[in-house]
Amino acid sequence: MIETIREHILQVENFTAEDKAAVEAFRIKYLGKKGLLNDFFAEFKNVPNEQKKEFGQSINQLKQAALHKVDSLTKTLEHNSEQEGVFGDLTRPGEPIELGARHPISIVKNRIIEIFSRIGFNVSEGPEIEDDWHNFTALNLPEYHPARDMQDTFFVQTDPDVLLRTHTSSVQVRYMENNQPPIRTISPGRVYRNEAISARSHCFFHQVEGLYIDKDVSFADLKQTLQYFTTELFGKSKIRLRPSYFPFTEPSAEVDVYWGLETETDYKMTKGTGWLEIMGCGMVDPNVLKNCGIDSDEYSGFAFGMGIDRIALLLHQISDIRLLSENDLRFLEQFRSVL
Ligand code: DAH
């Protein structure tokens, strides 16, 4: 009898099953009410006393082996069927792929690039870490100019010649140094200023610089170009140019777009005037052309510069500039449908 039990133990240990039904049949055979184990337990009383100990141990061993086998086979089969569910059933509906969203800064930047590329402007870029020449000196910014104040500029380490560019006008200089007119280029990029962070201003933001240099370029060309731009971007064609001052342009102007006074938001945005300031511009100062190796007797041109962040806030009715750099998915996901 003990021999028979030992054989069963071996059989149990070597048992394998293809499916759950086979495991269940195995379980009933050994552990069921009318199973072999109960038969062996019933046999116990007939076993001679001196063999009882060994016999008892064998049945327990068989019981443990059967329980363990049922348990491990069930687990393996469940695991396999899960895998089959994921990879095996090709008729299942596809997993939806989450589409990303473009950042509002990129959306606005791409629109600006697209609008200017239609009238022959290419895109140029320059470094964010600049030197004094490209950010200030070549742009006719005299040494005592307040924009050079430590308060506005981030210097890299203690070297006053290495700084984070405070505007994308530095790319104008680089472009003119490396290209001869005719020049039509826009330069989008990130700029840095040491300003207190609030809902309205940040210590880094984005600008697009525009530059047009050729023979006989006039202020009328500038105005027409800007009017085309505001019509395309905002759907507003009424603009005005207010005299202003920039060291790198002469004459210089601020550009306002007539936004209208139809809604309460229009009132708030335009402080009740209906006009919204969107950029600075002017005719490139002959000194700047000279600094960049362009003959100012032969060539003239215009330049302009605008903040992308501000335009993004305007166009998408975003209330706080800080949202643009916090990478909060709840904010970013809202731009999914915008290209
Ligand atoms: N660089 C100026 C700024 O950072 C913007 C600007 C004004 C750029 C007039 C120009 C310009 O090219 O002509 O505020």
Side-chain angles (χ1 to χ4, degrees):
M1 182 63 91
I2 289 181
E3 271 312 303
T4 319
I5 297 175
R6 294 226 169 94
E7 269 169 32
H8 276 294
I9 292 174
L10 272 180
Q11 277 175 27
V12 165
E13 280 171 352
N14 293 327
F15 179 74
T16 55
E18 294 275 299
D19 51 27
K20 284 188 180 169
V23 181
E24 183 57 9
F26 171 85
R27 190 190 65 78
I28 292 169
K29 179 179 168 189
Y30 284 100
L31 300 159
K33 258 191 192 152
K34 293 180 183 165
L36 281 171
L37 267 158
N38 277 349
D39 290 350
F40 290 133
F41 277 120
E43 202 59 40
F44 189 71
K45 58 182 184 301
N46 303 326
V47 173
N49 273 348
E50 64 276 12
Q51 288 181 17
K52 269 201 159 66
K53 189 176 170 200
E54 203 186 344
F55 187 83
Q57 279 173 347
S58 312
I59 328 177
N60 273 329
Q61 212 183 330
L62 177 60
K63 188 179 174 184
Q64 290 312 318
L67 283 170
H68 180 256
K69 188 53 108 183
V70 170
D71 200 40
S72 69
L73 284 176
T74 311
K75 276 191 186 137
T76 319
L77 288 169
E78 266 170 15
H79 180 69
N80 288 347
S81 69
E82 267 171 31
Q83 293 245 329
E84 226 170 77
V86 173
F87 304 110
D89 182 359
L90 298 178
T91 63
R92 277 158 52 106
E95 295 278 323
I97 298 168
E98 290 261 312
L99 277 186
R102 274 196 212 289
H103 193 279
I105 295 285
S106 299
I107 294 169
V108 172
K109 184 182 85 175
N110 291 343
R111 279 188 69 188
I112 296 174
I113 290 176
E114 197 262 323
I115 290 169
F116 279 106
S117 72
R118 271 190 262 150
I119 52 169
F121 281 73
N122 67 8
V123 177
S124 50
E125 285 183 349
E128 291 179 17
I129 300 175
E130 260 303 0
D131 51 34
D132 183 284
W133 169 256
H134 293 95
N135 196 77
F136 295 131
T137 307
L139 287 163
N140 210 23
L141 265 135
E143 232 171 275
Y144 49 81
H145 195 278
R148 283 187 163 220
D149 196 306
M150 284 285 284
Q151 293 209 333
D152 291 325
T153 309
F154 283 117
F155 291 92
V156 175
Q157 294 177 337
T158 49
D159 188 344
D161 194 40
V162 186
L163 46 93
L164 298 180
R165 66 180 177 194
T166 57
H167 52 184
T168 44
S169 302
S170 56
V171 189
Q172 267 191 40
V173 179
R174 287 187 178 272
Y175 199 86
M176 286 191 277
E177 282 174 343
N178 295 306
N179 298 275
Q180 278 301 307
I183 289 171
R184 267 176 289 179
T185 189
I186 54 166
S187 322
R190 182 174 282 182
V191 301
Y192 301 82
R193 284 186 203 174
N194 193 356
E195 276 175 19
I197 298 171
S198 71
R200 305 254 105 226
S201 69
H202 213 297
C203 60
F204 63 82
F205 50 99
H206 304 78
Q207 289 187 333
V208 176
E209 188 78 11
L211 180 69
Y212 190 156
I213 310 285
D214 205 345
K215 286 176 184 157
D216 303 322
V217 179
S218 71
F219 203 87
D221 296 322
L222 168 61
K223 193 175 174 193
Q224 195 60 43
T225 305
L226 296 179
Q227 196 172 20
Y228 156 76
F229 170 70
T230 58
T231 314
E232 293 299 308
L233 186 66
F234 303 112
K236 319 249 179 205
S237 57
K238 194 162 150 188
I239 60 169
R240 72 179 181 194
L241 287 101
R242 280 180 293 110
S244 183
Y245 170 76
F246 296 105
F248 28 91
T249 43
E250 181 58 36
S252 305
E254 305 274 0
V255 185
D256 297 343
V257 178
Y258 189 69
W259 201 259
L261 279 174
E262 276 154 36
T263 65
E264 197 162 328
T265 323
D266 292 348
Y267 260 91
K268 261 193 208 151
M269 266 170 27
T270 66
K271 298 194 181 97
T273 64
W275 291 95
L276 209 60
E277 185 189 312
I278 52 149
M279 67 170 102
C281 68
M283 300 306 291
V284 179
D285 193 300
N287 282 338
V288 176
L289 294 175
K290 270 179 227 151
N291 287 339
C292 303
I294 289 177
D295 184 350
S296 62
D297 292 328
E298 198 180 349
Y299 294 105
S300 59
F302 62 75
F304 54 86
M306 66 188 113
I308 303 181
D309 305 58
R310 262 201 74 216
I311 296 177
L313 299 190
L314 259 173
L315 288 178
H316 295 286
Q317 299 182 5
I318 302 163
S319 57
D320 192 321
I321 198 172
R322 289 168 291 197
L323 286 165
L324 296 174
S325 51
E326 278 169 0
N327 281 341
D328 186 332
L329 281 179
R330 291 168 303 177
F331 170 73
L332 296 174
E333 280 169 354
Q334 295 177 51
F335 298 91
R336 273 221 177 111
S337 58
V338 197
L339 284 174

